[in-house]
């Protein structure tokens, strides 16, 4: 277990007793901006972090939160860590089908939970797997043409957002990727046109980030696949459905089709988490179809955001270690992939599994679903549970309390995380490894 | 700890040992000079066995984003290919795109003790190392991809001082923790982002006005002057395009004696003769390779069956998507750094084109004289999964077997190839060159790939067997750093290999221009772009071996 101040890298002791860290990676959404400047307070307030530069409200909620005092607990009563670990190991050792859910942790944490799940014949699932699956279904049936954040930042001359409120899910996307001060190619970034298809939150919020041209194409969520289907037909020049379909803004789409044709490098952007409506995966499929069509003559790409709460790290690590993206069972002794069957929420409702091991190291709101099963929670302090976990082990937040790495939403770049304050909280990795060692 | 391997027949080409029967002594993980009086802790009687250094795969896609895209995209590749956990080993899956753990175990079970990922995008280096960190048993290393990254292209377009270019190459090797540098479709991955669909050796990049020839010469010269041992690793222009052999010949000539390694050259040796406008150009390619001592190659042999191609060459992989099988594929533009294309492929012996590709690879193996300059690869998984190596070795060592196999392929491909008339059979000594000594020398691995006193005791012991495929599939013993890790093809101990890197000198002043570039254009800060030693050592539970580089000139 870590000692109080081990591994602290104070970048600038500026005499005021503050530790200031620059180029800090933010773990609180899948963009993982790494331009933050974060300060650790001194004196009585030591350990309280404040963002001095860059960041966003979402980041502030994460960095500046004051985690309440915490202790390992068994059935709601404080205990020491050794007892909690031994109890957790006993529960896991005795379980026939432990369910490892939540998975809100860094690469190292996912690795450790994967090892534990492999060893104990359990199921692994991230609490945002439904969003991941909207993309995976498309990747596994037809694949796609994709871009990444830096490529889009420097190259996109048309950005089309599909039914995603990015200002909430990935608040700095427009500021950093669409309207940065400079781009390598294609003129002044703030002159780029952003087209919002469907519900993408308030356009004013987007203009405030520096984007000058925002075009809105309203559509109800449930109509998004139809609307995108019409856009695809227009681009392909195929026969359109009757123009009296009230759901379809034909003129606006005709205008968008023209923009797509003129673009040198257009990018469709979506946050899979936002597509939580009927046929949300079909929206991903049609978007990637359109991108493929356009690439026959000119360049275009998709850019999926997402990856919040460590979801991209969980999906990537699970893929390289087991061969499959999430929702994998090790019950047979080898990885078995079934994104429907090994949905832990579904399993709990269906009475499958006999132990829930829940990991949530970033977000106190990411609590486990209510369950009658015994529950082990490796959770950031301050989480409210619908009932006391059988074993609760408070864990540190990667990138605040300990170092680590996270995979970014584009599944290409990963970022290092640093420890910013002394912490008595162990990492998920340390806890999971300690449990595995005593199984 | 002192171990004696008693009475084996030793094939150690780095030291000129060709089938000599003698003992091998291992002292604390290293080969020791024989000492008949030494007190031995463990002795293995291996008389009649064939002994070689642990095998080294100098070009295998084992780690990095594009493999994980392949894994995610192809669950059907993994079903029925499960590997159950044991008390010692973790579970895994996969055939063409195996999970990292399964790949590490399988390599060791085949007697391999080091594997090199040849296409690490610097922007994806952290993940490549994480995946290699989860690849147990073998040592590993990776080649940083340069040549379509905007920083270098801007340097070339601006005709910057060559020293700055060298600084950037060296800086990238440090930042990405690389042992070598690879160029893929020089400039072409970037050109594709500007909607250029083809870029030949002397064609200009539409935006930068730079040609592949310039990029190749710059990078090769740069590496020479930086003292990096492995020559520029080149995946040339026009991969897979009929007629591309002419470009490959021109590429060799363009180097004017500068060292290059032409990788998966089979995919670059196609002519346009015959009714199908597809023919073998193995003969002229091999002839030119034979005449140019500055050139080494690996073959990228294809073998029949299902696999998945994965390359940084987004431009050419996009062109190959029409042959995707199953019909799904991924192409990506990545980080102003490079790109990738992942296209599943099923090579069929009854397809004229696939059959001829198979024959072209074998022709090159059999026509290139010097085994020190040709390495045995399938460009895993592009030509075939690495698990087919024993089959490939048998094809090279056993002309009867080769002819039998030739009978099975598309009849027109049989006629169009000279494979049937080539009698050459590789010897065990030559196989040991191609799979150990050659790659080790080329990569600059000081203490690997040979069995002289002082070398790391990575040793593979085979039961001699006329059926070379069976022999090379299941070695009897594999030692890693002197520890027995595999016995009769089963893992008996799990170890974590080292990561090999090379660190040529650079002037830290380059970070000024890089910092400016990163701040203006990138989405990651310069400091976070760099993969630290600590990450590999602590987070990946690994270790780093810095291989020597020559003095910078
Ligand atoms: S946009 Fe996301 S990663 Fe960037 S600062 Fe806000 S929460 Fe953090
Ligand atoms: Zn390759």
């Amino acid at each position: 277990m870590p000692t109080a101040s081990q591994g602290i890298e104070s970048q600038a002791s500026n005499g005021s007793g503050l530790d200031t860290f620059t180029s800090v990676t933010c773990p609180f959404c899948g963009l993982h901006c790494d331009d933050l400047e974060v300060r650790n307070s001194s004196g009585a307030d030591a350990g309280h972090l404040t963002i001095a530069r860059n960041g966003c409200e979402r980041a502030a909620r994460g960095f500046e939160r004051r985690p309440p005092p915490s202790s390992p607990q068994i059935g709601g009563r404080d205990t020491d860590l050794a007892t909690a670990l031994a109890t957790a190991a006993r529960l896991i050792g005795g379980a026939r089908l432990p369910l490892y859910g939540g998975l809100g942790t860094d690469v190292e944490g996912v690795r450790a939970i994967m090892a534990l799940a492999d060893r104990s014949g359990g199921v692994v699932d991230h609490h945002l797997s439904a969003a991941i699956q909207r993309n995976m279904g498309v990747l596994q049936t037809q694949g796609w043409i994709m871009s990444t954040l830096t490529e889009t930042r420097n190259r996109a001359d048309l950005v089309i957002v599909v039914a995603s409120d990015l200002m909430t899910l990935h608040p700095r996307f427009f500021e950093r990727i669409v309207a940065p001060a400079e781009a390598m190619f294609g003129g002044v970034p703030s002159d780029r046109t952003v087209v919002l298809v469907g519900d993408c939150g308030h356009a004013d919020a987007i203009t405030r980030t520096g984007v000058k041209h925002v075009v809105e194409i309203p559509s109800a969520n449930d109509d998004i696949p139809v609307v995108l289907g019409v856009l695809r037909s227009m681009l392909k020049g195929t026969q359109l459905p009757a123009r009296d379909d009230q759901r379809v803004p034909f003129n606006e789409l005709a205008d968008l089709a023209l923009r797509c044709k003129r673009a040198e490098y257009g990018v469709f952007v979506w946050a899979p988490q936002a597509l939580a409506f009927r046929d949300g995966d079909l929206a991903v499929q049609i978007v990637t179809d359109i991108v493929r069509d356009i690439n026959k003559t000119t360049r275009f790409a998709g850019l999926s955001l997402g990856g919040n709460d460590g979801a991209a790290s969980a999906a990537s690590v699970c893929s390289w270690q087991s061969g499959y993206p999430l929702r994998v069972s090790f019950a047979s002794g080898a990885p078995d992939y079934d994104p429907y069957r090994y949905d832990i929420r579904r399993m709990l409702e269906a009475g499958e599994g006999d132990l829930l091991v829940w990991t949530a190291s970033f977000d106190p709101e990411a609590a486990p679903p209510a369950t009658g099963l015994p529950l082990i929670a490796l959770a950031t302090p301050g989480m409210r549970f619908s009932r006391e976990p059988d074993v609760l082990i408070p864990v540190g937040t990667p990138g605040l309390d300990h170092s680590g790495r996270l995979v970014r939403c584009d599944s290409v770049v990963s970022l290092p995380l640093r420890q910013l304050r002394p912490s008595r909280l162990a990492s998920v990795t340390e806890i999971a490894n300690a449990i595995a060692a005593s199984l | 700890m002192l171990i004696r391997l008693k009475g084996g027949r030793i094939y150690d080409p780095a030291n000129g040992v060709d089938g000599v029967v003698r003992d091998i002594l291992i002292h604390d993980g290293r080969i020791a000079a024989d000492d008949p009086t030494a007190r031995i802790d463990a002795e293995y009687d291996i008389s009649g066995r064939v002994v070689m250094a642990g095998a080294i795969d100098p070009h295998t896609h084992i780690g990095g984003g594009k493999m994980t895209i392949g894994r995610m995209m192809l669950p059907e590749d993994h079903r029925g290919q499960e590997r159950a956990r044991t008390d010692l080993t973790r579970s895994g899956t996969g055939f063409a795109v195996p999970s990292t753990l399964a790949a590490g175990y399988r390599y060791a079970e085949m007697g391999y003790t080091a594997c090199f990922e040849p296409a690490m995008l610097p922007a994806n280096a952290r993940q490549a190392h994480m995946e290699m960190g989860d690849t147990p048993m073998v040592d590993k290393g990776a080649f940083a991809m340069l040549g379509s990254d905007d920083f270098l292209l801007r340097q070339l377009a601006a005709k910057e001082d060559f020293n700055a270019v060298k600084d950037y190459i060296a800086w990238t090797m440090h930042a990405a923790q690389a042992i070598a540098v690879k160029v893929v479709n020089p400039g072409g991955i970037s050109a594709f982002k500007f909607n250029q669909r083809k870029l030949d050796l002397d064609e200009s990049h539409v935006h930068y006005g730079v040609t592949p020839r310039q990029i190749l010469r710059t990078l090769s010269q740069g590496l020479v002057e930086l003292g990096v041992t492995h020559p520029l690793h080149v995946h040339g222009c026009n991969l897979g395009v009929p007629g591309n052999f002419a470009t490959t010949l021109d590429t060799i000539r363009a180097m004017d004696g500068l060292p290059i390694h032409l990788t998966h050259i089979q995919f670059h040796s196609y002519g346009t003769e015959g009714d199908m406008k597809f023919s073998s150009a193995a003969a002229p390619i091999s002839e030119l390779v034979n005449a140019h001592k500055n050139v080494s190659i690996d073959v990228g042999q294809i073998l029949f069956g299902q696999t998945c191609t994965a390359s940084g060459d987004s431009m050419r992989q996009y062109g190959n998507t029409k042959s995707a099988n199953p019909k799904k594929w991924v192409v990506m533009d990545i980080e102003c750094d490079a790109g990738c294309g992942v296209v599943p492929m099923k090579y069929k012996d009854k397809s004229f084109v696939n059959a001829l590709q198979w024959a072209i690879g074998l022709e090159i193996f059999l026509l290139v004289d010097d085994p020190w300059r040709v390495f045995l690869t399938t460009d895993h998984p592009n030509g075939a999964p690495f698990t087919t190596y024993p089959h490939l070795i048998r094809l090279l060592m056993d002309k009867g077997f080769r002819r039998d196999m030739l009978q099975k392929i598309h009849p027109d491909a049989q006629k169009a190839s000279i494979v049937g008339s080539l009698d050459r059979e590789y010897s065990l000594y030559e196989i040991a060159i191609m799979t150990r000594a050659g790659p080790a020398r080329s990569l600059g691995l000081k203490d690997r790939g040979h069995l002289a006193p002082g070398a790391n005791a990575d040793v593979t012991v085979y039961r001699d067997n006329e059926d070379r495929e069976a022999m090379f599939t299941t070695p009897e013993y594999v030692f890693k750093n002197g520890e027995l890790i595999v016995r009769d093809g089963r893992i008996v101990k799990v170890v974590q290999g080292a990561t090999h890197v090379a660190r040529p000198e650079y002037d830290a002043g380059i970070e000024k221009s890089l910092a400016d570039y990163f701040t203006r254009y990138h989405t990651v800060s310069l400091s976070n772009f760099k993969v630290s030693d600590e990450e590999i050592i602590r987070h990946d539970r690994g270790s780093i071996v810095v291989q020597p580089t020559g003095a910078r000139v």
Side-chain angles (χ1 to χ4, degrees), chain B residues 142-179:
Chain B
F143 311 163
M145 259 171 69
L146 285 174
S148 274
D149 53 307
D150 287 290
F151 191 86
L152 180 78
L153 293 171
R154 286 159 70 95
Q155 281 186 319
L156 295 182
K159 302 201 169 23
E160 273 190 37
D161 180 52
F162 189 52
N163 272 312
V165 174
K166 278 155 60 182
D167 288 333
Y168 171 60
I169 297 171
W171 178 87
T172 303
M173 290 181 70
H174 285 246
Q177 300 274 11
I179 188 168

Side-chain angles (χ1 to χ4, degrees), chain A residues 30-110:
Chain A
L31 293 187
H32 300 318
C33 306
D34 75 338
D35 59 350
L36 280 70
E37 193 174 307
V38 179
R39 281 195 195 133
N40 181 11
S41 314
S42 63
D45 215 18
H48 181 241
L49 304 173
T50 46
I51 298 177
R53 268 162 66 106
N54 300 324
C56 65
E57 266 178 49
R58 193 183 171 103
R61 275 201 304 280
F63 278 105
E64 301 184 0
R65 185 168 77 93
R66 293 171 188 270
S70 60
S71 160
Q73 294 185 335
I74 291 180
R77 286 166 187 273
D78 286 4
T79 184
D80 58 282
L81 183 58
T83 311
L85 287 172
T87 312
R90 200 160 27 83
L91 283 171
I92 290 173
R96 289 186 43 235
L97 186 59
L99 309 178
Y100 295 88
L103 280 193
T105 178
D106 57 355
V107 165
E108 287 64 37
V110 181

Side-chain angles (χ1 to χ4, degrees), chain B residues 110-312:
Chain B
M110 283 171 40
Y112 276 75
T113 52
C115 296
F116 291 83
E117 161 59 52
M120 173 172 68
L121 282 56
N124 184 241
R126 181 165 283 112
Q127 183 176 334
H129 285 288
M130 295 189 293
E131 293 189 27
M132 289 188 284
D134 283 346
T135 305
M137 312 304 283
V138 291
D139 284 6
K140 48 250 164 176
F143 311 163
M145 259 171 69
L146 285 174
S148 274
D149 53 307
D150 287 290
F151 191 86
L152 180 78
L153 293 171
R154 286 159 70 95
Q155 281 186 319
L156 295 182
K159 302 201 169 23
E160 273 190 37
D161 180 52
F162 189 52
N163 272 312
V165 174
K166 278 155 60 182
D167 288 333
Y168 171 60
I169 297 171
W171 178 87
T172 303
M173 290 181 70
H174 285 246
Q177 300 274 11
I179 188 168
V181 171
K182 183 190 194 192
V183 62
V184 173
N185 187 350
I189 304 167
S190 166
F192 183 57
K193 296 170 185 173
F194 291 90
N195 204 29
Q196 247 175 314
R197 303 292 169 126
K198 168 175 162 295
L199 194 67
D200 214 331
L201 189 61
D202 291 307
E203 262 174 290
S204 288
H205 184 292
V206 276
H207 180 77
Y208 290 109
V210 173
T211 65
R213 177 188 297 264
Q214 248 178 299
I215 296 168
L216 287 163
R217 292 190 53 103
T218 303
L219 288 173
S220 174
Q221 181 80 40
L223 289 165
V224 168
E225 294 187 15
L226 287 167
V228 175
T229 307
H230 190 56
L232 178 64
H233 200 91
V234 178
H235 156 149
C237 315
N238 297 334
L239 169 108
V241 179
N244 62 9
F245 82 103
T247 306
T248 308
L249 297 178
D250 287 344
T251 303
I252 294 174
R253 293 189 195 105
M255 298 317 287
D256 274 331
L258 281 169
I260 45 165
H261 176 83
L262 293 171
T263 189
H264 45 68
I265 198 166
Q266 177 275 129
F267 290 109
H268 301 265
S269 303
Y270 303 151
T272 50
E273 284 163 27
D275 296 343
M276 300 286 289
K277 302 272 175 265
F278 183 71
S279 58
S280 169
I285 294 278
S286 305
E287 196 182 327
L288 207 67
V289 168
N290 284 336
H292 286 77
K293 304 280 179 246
N294 58 314
V295 177
S296 59
I297 63 168
D298 66 86
V299 172
Q301 177 68 34
I302 78 147
L303 293 161
F304 304 115
Q306 178 69 54
T307 194
C308 176
T309 64
S311 169

Side-chain angles (χ1 to χ4, degrees), chain B residues 59 61 182 264 379 382:
Chain B
H59 189 115
H61 299 274
K182 183 190 194 192
H264 45 68
D379 188 16
N382 288 295

Side-chain angles (χ1 to χ4, degrees), chain A residues 33-239:
Chain A
C33 306
D34 75 338
D35 59 350
L36 280 70
E37 193 174 307
V38 179
R39 281 195 195 133
N40 181 11
S41 314
S42 63
D45 215 18
H48 181 241
L49 304 173
T50 46
I51 298 177
R53 268 162 66 106
N54 300 324
C56 65
E57 266 178 49
R58 193 183 171 103
R61 275 201 304 280
F63 278 105
E64 301 184 0
R65 185 168 77 93
R66 293 171 188 270
S70 60
S71 160
Q73 294 185 335
I74 291 180
R77 286 166 187 273
D78 286 4
T79 184
D80 58 282
L81 183 58
T83 311
L85 287 172
T87 312
R90 200 160 27 83
L91 283 171
I92 290 173
R96 289 186 43 235
L97 186 59
L99 309 178
Y100 295 88
L103 280 193
T105 178
D106 57 355
V107 165
E108 287 64 37
V110 181
R111 281 169 156 173
I113 298 283
M114 287 285 291
L116 200 51
D118 193 355
R119 181 90 181 274
S120 58
V123 169
V124 288
D125 182 16
H126 191 279
H127 74 97
L128 295 175
S129 287
I132 297 171
Q133 184 51 26
R134 269 171 219 128
N135 281 354
M136 284 304 150
V138 175
L139 174 64
Q140 291 168 353
T141 45
Q142 52 187 35
W144 53 32
I145 299 171
M146 297 290 251
S147 189
T148 66
L149 295 184
T150 304
E151 203 66 62
T152 300
R153 173 188 165 160
N154 287 288
R155 198 173 286 283
D157 52 354
L158 172 65
V159 173
I160 307 162
V161 183
V162 180
S164 303
D165 178 358
L166 301 182
M167 290 305 293
T168 303
L169 288 169
H170 305 285
R172 294 180 70 201
F173 175 73
F174 294 102
E175 168 212 325
R176 295 188 61 231
I177 309 303
V178 182
E182 258 189 287
M184 243 183 288
F185 317 108
V188 185
S190 59
D191 284 342
R192 290 167 174 164
T193 299
V194 172
V195 180
L196 307 176
V197 180
D199 183 2
C200 297
H202 288 293
D204 319 351
I206 296 171
T207 12
R208 277 198 296 275
T209 66
V211 178
K212 282 195 218 133
H213 315 290
V214 178
V215 176
E216 290 183 88
I217 304 186
S219 160
N221 278 342
D222 282 357
D223 299 336
I224 287 287
V226 176
V227 166
L228 292 171
V230 170
L231 175 64
R232 184 178 185 210
S233 305
M234 287 174 163
L235 281 161
K236 289 188 81 154
T238 50
Q239 192 68 41

Side-chain angles (χ1 to χ4, degrees), chain A residues 222-260:
Chain A
D222 282 357
D223 299 336
I224 287 287
V226 176
V227 166
L228 292 171
V230 170
L231 175 64
R232 184 178 185 210
S233 305
M234 287 174 163
L235 281 161
K236 289 188 81 154
T238 50
Q239 192 68 41
L240 288 176
R243 279 203 162 240
D244 56 5
D245 189 329
Q246 292 302 313
R247 298 172 299 171
V248 180
F250 285 93
N251 294 337
E252 288 88 339
L253 288 176
D255 174 66
L256 176 55
L258 210 60
R259 286 179 194 278
C260 289

Side-chain angles (χ1 to χ4, degrees), chain A residues 23-25 32-34 107-108 111 114-115 117-121 136 139-151 153-155 176-177 182-185 264-265 292 294-301 315-317 319-325 330-339 403-405 407-408 410-418 429 433, chain B residues 65 68-69 71-76 78-80 82-85 89-94 97-102 121 123-127 129-131 133-134 150-151 154 190 192-197 207-208 318 327-338 517-531 534-536 538-541:
Chain A
S23 300
V24 171
T25 303
H32 300 318
C33 306
D34 75 338
V107 165
E108 287 64 37
R111 281 169 156 173
M114 287 285 291
D118 193 355
R119 181 90 181 274
S120 58
M136 284 304 150
L139 174 64
Q140 291 168 353
T141 45
Q142 52 187 35
W144 53 32
I145 299 171
M146 297 290 251
S147 189
T148 66
L149 295 184
T150 304
E151 203 66 62
R153 173 188 165 160
N154 287 288
R155 198 173 286 283
R176 295 188 61 231
I177 309 303
E182 258 189 287
M184 243 183 288
F185 317 108
E264 287 189 358
Y265 194 87
R292 239 187 325 268
I294 300 177
N295 269 284
K296 289 183 179 139
T297 50
T298 178
R299 291 308 319 278
F300 226 90
S316 292
V317 175
S319 294
W320 80 59
Q321 284 203 354
S322 76
Y324 301 116
F330 293 95
S332 71
D336 181 36
Y337 172 57
D338 191 329
S403 63
R405 280 86 62 83
V407 177
R408 203 169 73 176
D410 50 26
S411 297
V412 168
V413 171
S414 41
L415 277 306
L417 308 171
R418 285 182 302 183
T429 316
N433 288 344
Chain B
T68 288
I69 291 168
R71 293 176 182 117
M72 286 176 174
M73 180 170 69
L74 294 165
E76 59 270 53
H78 318 331
R79 297 220 164 92
E82 291 84 6
R83 187 181 171 107
R85 71 169 174 272
T89 57
R90 296 269 307 272
S91 67
T93 60
V97 275
S99 61
T100 53
L101 294 143
L121 282 56
N124 184 241
R126 181 165 283 112
Q127 183 176 334
H129 285 288
M130 295 189 293
E131 293 189 27
D134 283 346
D150 287 290
F151 191 86
R154 286 159 70 95
S190 166
F192 183 57
K193 296 170 185 173
F194 291 90
N195 204 29
Q196 247 175 314
R197 303 292 169 126
H207 180 77
Y208 290 109
Y318 178 77
K327 274 233 135 337
K328 50 181 172 180
W329 46 268
V330 170
V331 165
M332 284 188 79
D333 302 316
I334 296 177
E335 290 297 277
C336 299
D337 192 35
Y517 172 84
F518 269 72
T519 315
R520 286 167 68 191
Y521 304 123
H522 223 289
T523 56
V524 174
S525 72
L526 183 69
S527 58
N528 289 330
F529 192 81
K530 298 187 244 184
V531 180
E534 144 120 4
E535 292 180 60
I536 290 174
R538 193 159 81 90
H539 292 312
D540 300 339
R541 305 185 202 185

